[in-house]
């Protein structure tokens, strides 16, 4: 038998491993997608997203039939009404988020997109969406902190070298879609009518409708100009590897959410996106002005305060002082 401290230590290391896994797969997916859309002839973000979701659909179906990972679906009563009310909207929102996010990479550089997602629009949109759905409350302190974050990002925008209102519009739309999707999943997971499901099972049910929706959008937008030569140029193996990386990101996200919380995800996104910005500078030689750097720094500080609160930050700062000896030997 293991002691409580040993079990607690193992649980902590497991969360650390899951967090690092999410950081790696998330940044790798973003950089991989950016490279395919910008550095190869495959400039079809909606088709690329459709391919990811088709792969996720096939992969979850195979996992459901060959492993016990998705056995949770056996406790779910899934009929047409439940599917249309609880699963289809999540799938449609997820599809909209992925499509708009991939399109944004055609107009904006990675560093700017990640700052929008992590330092400003992401937390702001999520908080306002949670308030709209009635699962969170706004306070004067939160509103003031949101204003600080917003103004700091406005400062960063003024120093943005590669700026496009169209790209910003697509990225904001992606964040709105994703915020509503996360809230709907939160409501679904907290449902008390016996229809609780883990996030991976929700992917099992939502991936097919996401794929169908994306294929419809691709048919209306990109199929007319699609050239199979782009697949040959990029490489079938490379596209398959890209889909596998995207699927692993989904698995890591779902696993981490199941073991931690939204607050943990928000906090971890800070160093994750800093690493991604550094990678963007190294790989694509992205230029960041001094004014933009100041805006980013203030936004990151504002996000820390928004996520943790002044009281918790103050307790962390003062905690080490309590352990200091009262006198030197």
């Amino acid at each position: 038998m293991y002691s409580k401290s040993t079990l607690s230590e193992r649980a902590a290391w497991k969360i650390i491993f899951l967090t690092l896994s999410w950081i790696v797969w998330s940044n790798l997916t973003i950089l991989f997608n950016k490279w395919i859309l910008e550095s190869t002839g495959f400039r079809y973000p909606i088709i690329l997203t459709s391919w990811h979701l088709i792969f996720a659909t096939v992969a979850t179906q195979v996992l459901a039939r060959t492993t016990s990972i998705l056995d949770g679906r056996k406790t779910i009563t899934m009929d047409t009404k439940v599917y249309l009310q609880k699963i289809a909207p999540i799938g449609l929102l997820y599809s909209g988020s992925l499509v708009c996010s991939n399109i944004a990479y055609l107009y904006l550089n990675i560093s700017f997109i990640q700052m929008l997602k992590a330092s400003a629009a992401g937390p702001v949109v999520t908080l306002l969406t949670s308030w709209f759905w009635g699962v969170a409350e706004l306070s004067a302190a939160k509103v003031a902190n949101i204003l600080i974050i917003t103004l700091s990002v406005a400062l960063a925008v003024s120093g943005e070298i590669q700026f496009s209102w169209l790209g910003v519009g697509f990225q904001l739309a992606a964040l709105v879609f994703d915020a509503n999707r996360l809230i709907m999943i939160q409501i679904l997971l907290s449902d008390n009518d016996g229809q609780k499901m883990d996030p991976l099972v929700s992917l099992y049910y939502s991936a097919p409708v996401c794929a169908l929706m994306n294929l419809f959008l691709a048919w209306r937008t990109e199929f007319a100009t699609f050239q199979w030569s782009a697949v040959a140029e990029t490489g079938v193996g490379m596209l398959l590897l890209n889909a596998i990386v995207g699927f692993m990101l989904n698995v890591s996200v779902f696993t981490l959410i199941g073991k931690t919380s939204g607050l943990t995800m928000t906090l971890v996104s800070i160093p994750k996106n800093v690493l991604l910005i550094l990678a963007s500078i190294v790989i694509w030689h992205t230029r960041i002005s001094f004014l933009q750097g100041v805006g980013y720094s203030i936004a990151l500080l504002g996000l820390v305060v928004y996520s943790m609160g002044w009281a918790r930050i103050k307790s962390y700062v003062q905690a080490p002082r309590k352990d200091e000896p009262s006198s030197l030997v």
Side-chain angles (χ1 to χ4, degrees), residues 130-141:
S130 301
W131 170 74
F132 177 80
W133 280 87
V135 298
E137 295 183 0
L138 287 178
S139 64

Side-chain angles (χ1 to χ4, degrees), residues 103-130:
I103 293 177
Y105 286 117
L106 296 175
Y107 299 95
L108 303 171
N109 62 54
I110 286 182
S111 62
F112 186 57
I113 288 177
Q114 295 312 305
M115 289 307 300
L116 280 176
K117 291 168 63 176
S119 301
V124 172
V125 169
T126 301
L127 178 61
L128 293 178
T129 303
S130 301

Side-chain angles (χ1 to χ4, degrees), residues 60-278:
T60 50
Q61 292 292 331
V62 171
L63 288 174
R65 287 160 175 75
T66 59
T67 70
S68 60
I69 295 176
L70 288 160
D71 282 355
R73 75 190 193 283
K74 297 178 181 179
T75 63
I76 304 297
T77 303
M78 188 57 61
D79 53 25
T80 303
K81 181 180 179 181
V82 173
Y83 193 87
L84 291 178
Q85 288 183 346
K86 299 183 177 182
I87 303 300
I90 293 175
L92 296 177
L93 291 169
Y94 186 37
S95 176
S97 172
L98 290 175
V99 169
C100 291
S101 180
N102 273 343
I103 293 177
Y105 286 117
L106 296 175
Y107 299 95
L108 303 171
N109 62 54
I110 286 182
S111 62
F112 186 57
I113 288 177
Q114 295 312 305
M115 289 307 300
L116 280 176
K117 291 168 63 176
S119 301
V124 172
V125 169
T126 301
L127 178 61
L128 293 178
T129 303
S130 301
W131 170 74
F132 177 80
W133 280 87
V135 298
E137 295 183 0
L138 287 178
S139 64
K142 287 184 177 180
V143 171
N145 196 250
I146 286 175
L147 290 176
I148 294 175
I149 295 175
T150 303
L151 291 174
S152 64
V153 172
L155 183 64
V157 167
S158 66
E160 174 59 27
I161 298 169
Q162 180 185 334
F163 181 80
S164 166
W165 280 112
L166 184 59
V168 171
F170 274 114
Q171 186 56 54
L172 291 177
L175 292 171
V176 171
F177 280 129
D178 199 51
N180 281 277
R181 178 182 70 91
L182 292 176
I183 297 303
M184 291 195 70
I185 290 178
Q186 178 180 339
I187 295 174
L188 180 65
L189 296 179
S190 61
D191 206 348
N192 56 10
D193 63 355
Q195 293 296 314
K196 294 182 180 180
M197 64 177 71
D198 62 76
L200 192 55
V201 172
S202 74
L203 176 64
Y204 170 85
Y205 285 115
S206 63
V209 70
C210 284
L212 288 175
M213 180 61 182
N214 274 34
L215 286 173
F216 174 77
L217 293 174
W219 171 61
R220 299 295 297 176
T221 57
E222 295 180 350
F223 277 2
T225 59
F226 177 72
Q227 299 290 332
W228 281 102
S229 59
V231 176
E233 180 182 341
T234 306
V236 175
M238 194 64 66
L239 290 173
L240 179 61
L241 181 60
N242 180 248
I244 293 174
V245 170
F247 180 73
M248 290 304 300
L249 169 61
N250 279 320
V251 173
S252 66
V253 167
F254 296 150
T255 306
L256 184 59
I257 290 177
K259 296 296 183 180
T260 57
S261 65
L263 174 60
T264 300
M265 298 286 287
T266 302
L267 293 175
V268 175
S269 69
I270 300 173
K272 180 185 81 70
N273 284 281
V274 170
L275 290 174
L276 192 57
I277 292 170
L278 293 176

